[in-house]
Amino acid sequence: MPLTRHKSAGYMTNWAARLFARVIDRKLKPLALGSGYLPVFFALSDGGSRTQKELALGADIEQPTMAATLNRMDRDGLIIREKDQNDRRITHIRLSESALAHAAEIKTIVDQVNEIALSGLNSQERRVFLEALTKVTAALSQADDPSK
């Protein structure tokens, strides 16, 4: 039986994700940012701080990948690392003032790309699509859990 990509949830989801990243990257380029920074922006755009471990867990990104992302963001002046006052082994990470200044523009870009992606769906289809994606990601997260 031949594989049919348009009938493969995995293929279509991966393809959509790559297209999302490509369009968002193009729109973020004038800000000298890329889609790889978005999980950190999503987690920290409220002005709060998190540890690297908390950021990695929240974004479901492996520690080495998060470390590399944070190193690039540090190099680009987008984050500030601060030692915990009570435990110097812990480092809290927050967005820099210049990064926070871009937060509203980044949100606008993400919203625009989401609108483009969902433009062929009516409001009910959008709701059903997002609910279905939530269920799909929950099922895959559970299947990926090594303790299961």
Side-chain angles (χ1 to χ4, degrees), residues 19-82:
L19 289 169
F20 262 106
R22 196 177 319 162
V23 174
I24 286 175
D25 281 335
R26 184 171 32 82
K27 290 183 174 287
L28 288 174
K29 190 174 184 175
L31 301 176
L33 300 172
S35 59
Y37 293 169
L38 288 179
V40 177
F41 271 95
F42 280 126
L44 300 177
S45 64
D46 63 357
S49 68
R50 310 276 186 293
T51 65
Q52 178 178 311
K53 182 177 181 179
E54 290 169 334
L55 289 169
L57 286 172
D60 197 21
I61 295 173
E62 293 197 16
Q63 285 273 6
T65 302
M66 181 56 73
T69 299
L70 292 172
N71 285 336
R72 286 191 308 275
M73 292 182 78
D74 194 11
R75 174 202 67 205
D76 295 344
L78 298 171
I79 61 167
I80 296 174
R81 299 174 196 240
E82 299 169 325

